[in-house]
Amino acid sequence: MIRGAVFGLSLLLLANDTVAMSVRSPKCVQIFYDGNRHVGNQFGYGRRMALYLQNLLGHFKNVQQILSPVERYQKGQLAQCPYNFYIGSQFDNQLSAEFKEDVKTSPTSLVWMGYNAWQLGDQILQEQFGLQYAGIAEIDKNHLDADGMPGFYRLHEYKGEVFKKFASLNSSGTLEAVYDIVKMRIVNPKVTVPSWVKHSTLEDRVPYVTRNWNRWFIADVPFPYMNEEDRYLIFTDLLFDIIDEKPLRTERLAIARLEDVHPAIPEWQIKAFADMIKRQESSFILSLIPIFNDPYRVNSKPPEPSYLPMTKAPGFVKLLRELDASGVATIAMHGVTHQSDDQKNPDGVSGLDYEFWDIVANQPMPNDTAENLVTRLERGMKEITESGLQPSLWLTPHYAASILDTAIFGQLFDWNVGRIIYQPFAATQKERIPAHMRFTRAGSSLFTGQRLPYVADLQVELGKKEQMTEQFFPYEIYGDALGQRILPENAAYLIPKAGVAPSVPVDRVLSILKRNRVLRDYIGSFFIHPFLMNSVANGGLGEFNGDTKEIERLFSEARKMGYRFVSMKEWTAMNREGIRPEPIERK
């Protein structure tokens, strides 16, 4: 039975024995995942791994996704789509005889990721994949690298670059990393190796990705501990080859954001950054917080106001309108106050605090309802539109919100920029908010209060909050599991040496941009805070206040690499329509 328009992880219930022929009109891709010993477990670890893949496939607008727990596999299903994935995330999860037999006989493409290939047996492995199982490679505690960490297969070679798995020692000295991989020997000379992985302390390397015609093997599941330099990015690029898709462009695009801009920010900082952007013949996203609030006087001191909406800051509004009209800046709505009114979350001040997630209790906000969210966003939009501005994008403060909130963001804005925090979920809604009511459309201010009936019946069922993890993207996504379009943030952000977090200098961002040039459709994306226009002595990057020389080096070097900082106002206007087909999930 179908309840209205159903989206998310519980999208459409199919009979287990077949897939309707209509799904073959778009490009059909099946994802089989481990159900963690609970058949059809839509909230388990294996389903979360499938969620990451499903989101990445949202880059390809013509892909029809079909998701299924491998425990429910029925004979012949591999042949129902030309492209198939099996995500072996659970060690020795028992695979059915029907699935193994179809791996042997099905003519359609199959990507095997991670564990359990040994269950196929030597004959099928050699015939289908051209490989022989050689065991699980684990950490080598007898050999330490320069940072004192145990050795493991960490350094992934791809297209002349090296992508590096995350690894860190926690306070107890335990290695935090995905250090085990499935080792395979190549037994068929026709097997190609798009990517090798080298050991971090030994002179040894083994295949990471292999291809034997339409049989692919990946030595681990590339999603855990994903980061800006990770083997995850290799997989995102190989998707073009795996499902036979062409890149959308050959040009290297880049996005820069000026983050946490609110009416109490010194205007000279915004001007200094904008003038530098103009000299570089570039453009940027201005992340706008329309209302500044600091009820506990964390950053504001009398006689400065502790509450300042942008409609009460004429100089600030005039500057933003000039930047918007010139095309140098694209406005992104970055929350309403970027804090939680009178709640310390954790400090109470705009720009530092969370707005749509209770970070102290690590749970959704106490008043997290669809009605409260839409009403709050309409309050913020009123400030923006009465100031003569129109946002082109949405940006979630600290990327943190409940699944309910994120589902609504995707209906109110054409594009979301940044990273997304996901949690296994199932959602139902009779009818989504119509496109003409989105805040990124002209005249959207006319519909105050009229959006509420559309979200009144939105129901979200969630997995455990411990399963919440962040995903970033190398390219734009035309529809994630929540149905939102996403522009990436994937090249870190500048952190001065005086920051509380480890410093991220210009050269670190440049190294990420350089390495990731080998990725198809890659959009290099990073952000910068206004206070970095200060001198080093005042917490910035300049020799004096207003010195942008070091930041300008980032832009000039990126341009030398071939990146163009594209106007997101123009880009989003040209890419407003179109979204991938609704995913289908077998139960």
Side-chain angles (χ1 to χ4, degrees):
M1 177 179 174
I2 308 300
R3 282 193 59 204
V6 189
F7 64 95
L9 300 189
S10 184
L11 293 160
L12 185 61
L13 308 186
L14 295 181
N16 281 329
D17 59 341
T18 188
V19 175
M21 287 296 293
S22 62
V23 302
R24 295 189 182 183
S25 180
K27 180 172 287 187
C28 179
V29 177
Q30 293 184 107
I31 304 172
F32 298 94
Y33 60 91
D34 292 336
N36 287 11
R37 297 193 178 93
H38 302 288
V39 176
N41 182 359
Q42 61 184 337
F43 299 133
Y45 180 75
R47 187 59 189 87
R48 178 149 51 100
M49 297 300 103
L51 169 63
Y52 296 139
L53 175 54
Q54 146 177 35
N55 290 335
L56 284 171
L57 288 170
H59 178 60
F60 307 101
K61 290 181 280 188
N62 65 330
V63 166
Q64 173 66 71
Q65 306 169 14
I66 301 174
L67 297 101
S68 178
V70 73
E71 293 85 352
R72 283 286 175 90
Y73 184 85
Q74 294 196 3
K75 185 172 178 58
Q77 285 181 338
L78 275 180
Q80 292 175 5
C81 285
Y83 305 98
N84 299 276
F85 293 82
Y86 166 61
I87 305 175
S89 61
Q90 180 175 309
F91 182 83
D92 232 9
N93 187 37
Q94 292 302 302
L95 304 175
S96 68
E98 291 82 2
F99 180 65
K100 291 184 282 189
E101 179 63 23
D102 282 355
V103 171
K104 179 180 178 180
T105 60
S106 176
T108 59
S109 175
L110 173 64
V111 179
W112 193 292
M113 303 161 61
Y115 296 135
N116 305 327
W118 52 83
Q119 295 184 36
L120 296 173
D122 290 343
Q123 182 179 355
I124 297 178
L125 255 181
Q126 292 185 27
E127 290 177 355
Q128 296 298 311
F129 293 89
L131 302 173
Q132 183 181 63
Y133 175 60
I136 303 293
E138 299 190 1
I139 57 174
D140 180 0
K141 296 182 179 180
N142 297 320
H143 298 87
L144 305 182
D145 66 13
D147 296 321
M149 288 185 286
F152 65 100
Y153 288 95
R154 185 182 185 189
L155 308 173
H156 294 74
E157 301 170 340
Y158 184 65
K159 291 185 176 180
E161 294 288 348
V162 176
F163 293 78
K164 190 175 183 180
K165 264 188 181 180
F166 171 84
S168 177
L169 294 175
N170 61 25
S171 58
S172 63
T174 302
L175 179 68
E176 292 187 358
V178 181
Y179 49 76
D180 61 338
I181 65 168
V182 180
K183 295 180 71 173
M184 291 287 186
R185 297 187 187 95
I186 297 172
V187 295
N188 185 335
K190 294 184 179 179
V191 170
T192 59
V193 186
S195 175
W196 294 83
V197 55
K198 293 175 61 178
H199 202 277
S200 59
T201 59
L202 303 176
E203 291 297 323
D204 188 35
R205 70 173 189 169
V206 295
Y208 178 62
V209 180
T210 62
R211 179 181 188 180
N212 186 34
W213 189 46
N214 69 352
R215 292 289 189 265
W216 298 75
F217 180 78
I218 302 174
D220 70 358
V221 177
F223 304 128
Y225 287 106
M226 64 181 78
N227 65 82
E228 299 92 346
E229 303 171 274
D230 189 39
R231 88 286 194 205
Y232 162 75
L233 292 166
I234 297 174
F235 174 74
T236 68
D237 189 62
L238 285 171
L239 279 177
F240 290 90
D241 302 318
I242 290 169
I243 65 171
D244 297 317
E245 283 288 320
K246 301 293 184 184
L248 299 178
R249 55 188 168 267
T250 57
E251 184 182 26
R252 293 194 188 104
L253 301 183
I255 302 172
R257 302 197 322 255
L258 187 63
E259 197 79 338
D260 296 338
V261 178
H262 53 67
I265 291 290
E267 292 175 22
W268 70 263
Q269 294 178 351
I270 304 170
K271 291 178 180 177
F273 183 81
D275 288 343
M276 181 274 295
I277 289 290
K278 292 175 184 176
R279 290 195 298 272
Q280 286 293 320
E281 299 178 346
S282 297
S283 61
F284 70 99
I285 292 173
L286 189 146
S287 302
L288 173 62
I289 305 167
I291 300 172
F292 171 75
N293 194 20
D294 184 10
Y296 300 99
R297 291 287 189 179
V298 175
N299 282 351
S300 60
K301 308 298 179 188
E304 298 170 351
S306 63
Y307 182 86
L308 182 61
M310 63 186 297
T311 49
K312 301 298 183 182
F316 176 77
V317 169
K318 180 175 182 292
L319 174 58
L320 265 57
R321 292 182 65 175
E322 290 172 353
L323 295 175
D324 178 68
S326 69
V328 70
T330 299
I331 303 298
M333 186 175 178
H334 192 24
V336 178
T337 63
H338 202 314
Q339 54 89 244
S340 304
D341 298 329
D342 293 333
Q343 177 178 336
K344 288 188 176 183
N345 193 20
D347 299 308
V349 63
S350 291
L352 294 181
D353 271 34
Y354 291 70
E355 184 168 2
F356 302 104
W357 186 256
D358 186 337
I359 193 62
V360 177
N362 191 28
Q363 63 186 21
M365 298 295 293
N367 58 349
D368 186 43
T369 67
E371 180 180 4
N372 287 342
L373 176 67
V374 172
T375 301
R376 184 179 185 89
L377 292 174
E378 288 182 343
R379 169 190 165 205
M381 271 299 298
K382 185 172 185 291
E383 287 291 323
I384 297 174
T385 55
E386 287 187 357
S387 299
L389 293 166
Q390 183 84 37
S392 298
L393 303 158
W394 167 257
L395 173 58
T396 304
H398 293 312
Y399 304 144
S402 69
I403 291 295
L404 173 72
D405 296 347
T406 306
I408 294 173
F409 296 152
Q411 299 179 52
L412 289 175
F413 297 88
D414 289 309
W415 286 92
N416 185 342
V417 61
R419 305 180 180 216
I420 309 296
I421 295 177
Y422 292 100
Q423 180 180 9
F425 71 96
T428 60
Q429 183 179 3
K430 183 177 181 180
E431 186 177 359
R432 293 168 69 90
I433 298 172
H436 69 276
M437 290 187 177
R438 292 176 186 160
F439 292 143
T440 40
R441 304 293 178 100
S444 61
S445 60
L446 301 175
F447 302 105
T448 298
Q450 297 181 38
R451 301 174 179 88
L452 295 177
Y454 293 96
V455 298
D457 69 339
L458 173 58
Q459 297 292 321
V460 176
E461 184 182 0
L462 299 173
K464 298 177 181 178
K465 67 181 180 181
E466 290 80 9
Q467 296 173 328
M468 298 190 71
T469 49
E470 181 181 273
Q471 186 173 15
F472 75 96
F473 304 98
Y475 32 58
E476 74 273 27
I477 302 299
Y478 289 93
D480 71 348
L482 286 156
Q484 59 181 345
R485 299 176 183 87
I486 304 164
L487 283 165
E489 182 269 290
N490 51 36
Y493 67 100
L494 296 180
I495 304 176
K497 292 180 180 179
V500 293
S503 67
V504 178
V506 165
D507 287 334
R508 164 85 195 289
V509 178
L510 288 173
S511 70
I512 294 170
L513 294 175
K514 177 182 179 296
R515 177 186 299 105
N516 294 348
R517 288 182 304 174
V518 302
L519 306 174
R520 283 162 282 191
D521 282 354
Y522 179 72
I523 302 177
S525 179
F526 57 87
F527 61 91
I528 295 167
H529 287 94
F531 67 80
L532 295 182
M533 307 307 121
N534 289 340
S535 66
V536 171
N538 292 318
L541 294 176
E543 294 181 9
F544 50 85
N545 285 352
D547 175 21
T548 61
K549 183 165 64 270
E550 183 65 0
I551 297 172
E552 190 159 4
R553 183 170 71 89
L554 170 56
F555 284 81
S556 62
E557 291 299 316
R559 291 180 65 201
K560 290 176 185 176
M561 293 179 192
Y563 287 98
R564 179 172 73 90
F565 289 87
V566 64
S567 167
M568 283 295 108
K569 182 185 295 185
E570 297 175 5
W571 194 94
T572 54
M574 291 188 296
N575 293 276
R576 177 176 284 173
E577 305 299 337
I579 193 169
R580 54 92 183 105
E582 285 288 351
I584 296 169
E585 184 153 3
R586 294 191 185 97
K587 293 294 184 184

